[in-house]
Amino acid sequence: MSALLPDGFAALEPFVVRWAVSGTAARAARRGASSAEEREAFYGAAKDMLLPALAYLDGKNLAEFDAADNRLMDMMLSLAHVALAVEGLGNDEPRHAEMRRHMRITRSPAGV
Amino acid sequence: MNNIASSTAPGFTPVSADSVAWLGTGPVPAAPYYDPAYYELEREAVFRHSWLQLGHVSELPEPGSFIRREVEVLKASVLLVRGRDGHIRAFHNVCTHRGTQLVEAESGRAGNFSCPYHRWSFSTDGRLLSAPDFESFGLTKEECALPAIALEICGGLIFVNFEPKISLREEMGPFADWLEKFPCAQATQFSEYVYEINGNWKLTYDNFQENYHLRFIHPRTGGAAVSDENPFGYPVKYGFHGPHRTQTIWSNPNVKPTPLQAISFGKGAQFAMADGLAGPHARDYLALFPNFFVIGTPTQSFSHTIWPLGPERSRGVIRLYWKGEDDCASRRYAREYALASARDIHAEDRAVIEAGQRGLSSGALKYIHFQTQEALCRHLFNNVNERVEAYKAELAGGAA
Ligand code: FES
Ligand SMILES: [Fe+2]
């Protein structure tokens, strides 16, 4: 049985289901549909893992990522969205999510 | 919180009222921001004769690459194509037989374009290649080429003009060289987000050429743009050339980024430096008449085009430009963060512009007002109105 995430990142496993989302628009939508508790729990667990995760992933070619690597990458990309809510908008996030819905992401190097 | 009243701290001097007084100082009529009759005039007076930003060269990577772009304000469908000779051309997406729209796909790659109706077939450089039973028309193929639209490329951006009165480069003057040094000139791909808005195109555009609203509309997302010495985050300078304009964005020396903001923008900055994107225009905003602007910052260089869809309706297209592929996880991450953070800010703008439109469309106001630091908004209005008035005079003359 293979692990959900690469070695060293097991602490993030509880967040895989919700935050290992493929596609920039889908990640933005997941943030928009999440609760404050979900965002804070994920941000709290993941923020100190960001640099180690990127350092680990930078050691590989994107095309050579296995399923666990892809999950970790997608989670860090979700963290980019979630951090904006947690660090920036705070309790303004729900109102903001409604405004943001109108800004449709149509292109992203990471795939829409 | 900053104290707005004591805005005399050293380190920042706003652009003086005197230096932009030539634009006028009086109230501006409100009707042009909602009146359907004025909008009809703008379509011909402004949009039919202006250089319109329709795309980026990276969208047409190889011979045969094409994109279709709808220009609703002129009821036109435009086909941008890279020919076998490598040149990019623009055509009306209209079959010359009986007008059928030739290409339905939004983008793709084709050896030629074949009309679905009676199979007239056109080359990627617009020539009629073949048509069934063509002899029965008594026409030459030369007469039946796709109608071309004037096209110029500057800074990697593709501009078209349906009825040019002047070349793009001539009209841009010194700004053409600027644009060639912006990151979009080197970009090989971009991120994009799009919104529709119940807002007149000028009202929508104006939001993005004044900083007066920053501290009120972006209290959390735009904190980096304001400080005690410059409480509104006003620009350092304005510049004008013909109908085009610039501003130089003030750098706040006291920005305190949040933890992930620091990491994310830090990574973005490292890549931008390594890629040679830090040009001389890192703090410059360039607005090209009528509906396009682009920011030269190396880390989050974006353009914004606002397409009129009606007197009170527009579409905004925002693109962040990137040089090179996502070659590693960090680069991919930095780009995702840059996109998401720009989108957060623009989402706030959209909502307040719609509120402005509701007020204007009620007809309650005869005039609106621009202060010194809304000089770019006034400059846009002046340039639109000059063209609309000239066109009205032309119509009146023709009717006499
Ligand atoms: S309209 Fe295109 S072939 Fe007839
Ligand atoms: Fe804004």
Side-chain angles (χ1 to χ4, degrees):
Chain A
M1 199 188 101
S2 60
L4 276 177
L5 292 172
D7 277 357
F9 300 98
L12 292 176
E13 288 200 354
F15 301 96
V16 165
V17 171
R18 180 145 297 270
W19 297 110
V21 179
S22 139
T24 302
R27 286 185 283 271
R30 181 61 54 88
R31 166 193 171 190
S34 63
S35 69
E37 294 71 36
E38 286 166 339
R39 289 189 298 272
E40 274 152 27
F42 177 50
Y43 175 82
K47 69 175 193 313
D48 294 332
M49 303 284 234
L50 173 63
L51 286 176
L54 292 178
Y56 162 78
L57 293 167
D58 281 345
K60 289 191 172 189
N61 195 318
L62 289 177
E64 288 159 8
F65 281 6
D66 61 23
D69 297 334
N70 276 322
R71 279 186 213 107
L72 184 61
M73 180 80 242
D74 284 341
M75 287 176 83
M76 294 304 115
L77 296 174
S78 288
L79 180 61
H81 296 265
V82 169
L84 288 163
V86 175
E87 293 184 347
L89 289 162
N91 58 14
D92 216 12
E93 168 72 7
R95 183 181 72 93
H96 212 272
E98 173 52 29
M99 297 194 289
R100 230 166 35 230
R101 221 169 33 80
H102 298 279
M103 318 302 281
R104 284 186 300 114
I105 297 172
T106 45
R107 197 150 167 150
S108 163
V112 178
Chain B
M1 225 30 228
N2 303 315
N3 181 352
I4 305 178
S6 63
S7 60
T8 49
F12 174 75
T13 315
V15 174
S16 72
D18 283 355
S19 68
V20 292
W22 63 276
L23 292 166
T25 53
V28 166
Y33 296 84
Y34 65 86
D35 177 21
Y38 195 90
Y39 178 74
E40 286 304 313
L41 294 166
E42 284 179 332
R43 294 170 55 163
E44 295 305 316
V46 174
F47 285 89
R48 190 165 304 282
H49 301 287
S50 291
W51 289 97
L52 305 173
Q53 192 270 334
L54 271 197
H56 186 266
V57 291
S58 64
E59 294 178 87
L60 301 163
E62 42 195 4
S65 295
F66 69 87
I67 46 180
R68 174 178 59 79
R69 288 281 138 83
E70 301 305 301
V71 181
E72 289 89 346
V73 63
L74 294 172
K75 295 186 182 155
S77 178
V78 179
L79 195 56
L80 299 175
V81 199
R82 194 184 286 274
R84 286 184 191 188
D85 57 2
H87 286 291
I88 296 175
R89 297 177 179 83
F91 303 103
H92 283 278
N93 180 22
V94 169
C95 172
T96 49
H97 174 217
R98 274 164 53 195
T100 305
Q101 298 233 312
L102 196 57
V103 174
E104 232 184 284
E106 258 183 63
S107 63
R109 195 173 171 209
N112 55 59
F113 301 105
S114 179
C115 178
Y117 207 165
H118 315 92
R119 298 286 164 196
W120 283 30
S121 171
F122 301 87
S123 68
T124 51
D125 59 4
R127 283 172 298 123
L128 178 64
L129 292 172
S130 65
D133 202 13
F134 188 62
E135 309 72 54
S136 308
F137 285 94
L139 292 167
T140 64
K141 285 186 176 167
E142 289 68 36
E143 298 171 77
C144 299
L146 292 177
I149 303 172
L151 179 147
E152 281 191 51
I153 293 168
C154 187
L157 301 164
I158 302 170
F159 296 84
V160 303
N161 192 324
F162 287 75
E163 287 180 27
K165 293 180 172 171
I166 182 172
S167 82
L168 173 67
R169 276 171 194 274
E170 203 179 329
E171 189 184 75
M172 286 177 72
F175 293 156
D177 275 346
W178 283 40
L179 192 50
E180 296 288 8
K181 298 191 177 84
F182 273 48
C184 54
Q186 296 186 54
T188 60
Q189 60 172 332
F190 53 87
S191 305
E192 181 187 80
Y193 49 96
V194 176
Y195 64 91
E196 294 202 356
I197 181 169
N198 291 321
N200 176 268
W201 71 275
K202 299 185 298 301
L203 183 76
T204 306
Y205 192 97
D206 280 351
N207 175 80
F208 303 100
Q209 48 177 359
E210 53 90 350
N211 285 4
Y212 188 26
H213 74 277
L214 291 186
R215 64 178 303 133
F216 310 111
I217 298 304
H218 310 296
R220 305 196 196 204
T221 54
V226 302
S227 85
D228 286 339
E229 55 186 343
N230 184 3
F232 294 98
Y234 287 145
V236 176
K237 97 183 161 208
Y238 301 121
F240 303 90
H241 182 85
H244 311 302
R245 65 204 84 93
T246 70
Q247 56 181 318
T248 303
I249 297 155
W250 175 70
S251 297
N252 185 352
N254 305 313
V255 191
K256 286 184 201 69
T258 61
L260 257 62
Q261 203 175 32
I263 292 174
S264 310
F265 284 139
K267 282 193 176 283
Q270 279 169 20
F271 289 123
M273 297 307 130
D275 293 343
L277 291 177
H281 297 293
R283 303 301 298 173
D284 289 333
Y285 158 114
L286 178 60
L288 298 179
F289 185 81
N291 64 333
F292 172 82
F293 72 82
V294 57
I295 310 268
T297 165
T299 47
Q300 209 174 18
S301 181
F302 72 90
S303 68
H304 195 155
T305 312
I306 292 159
W307 292 104
L309 300 179
E312 300 157 308
R313 183 119 184 117
S314 306
R315 179 192 306 118
V317 179
I318 293 154
R319 291 178 163 190
L320 288 89
Y321 295 93
W322 310 122
K323 181 176 175 181
E325 297 300 305
D326 285 7
D327 59 357
C328 66
S330 282
R331 196 185 283 272
R332 175 159 285 181
Y333 171 83
R335 288 173 176 178
E336 184 97 356
Y337 189 91
L339 166 78
S341 64
R343 177 172 172 264
D344 268 23
I345 298 174
H346 284 133
E348 296 176 329
D349 292 308
R350 182 186 171 281
V352 77
I353 296 164
E354 288 200 334
Q357 189 65 49
R358 288 193 294 275
L360 287 170
S361 295
S362 76
L365 301 182
K366 283 215 158 38
Y367 296 101
I368 59 171
H369 305 283
F370 293 133
Q371 57 125 320
T372 299
Q373 306 302 334
E374 291 168 304
L376 302 190
C377 306
R378 188 183 289 277
H379 182 254
L380 172 63
F381 172 74
N382 289 355
N383 274 281
V384 169
N385 204 46
E386 210 171 89
R387 284 160 179 73
V388 165
E389 289 301 327
Y391 180 60
K392 272 161 68 178
E394 205 181 294
L395 290 178

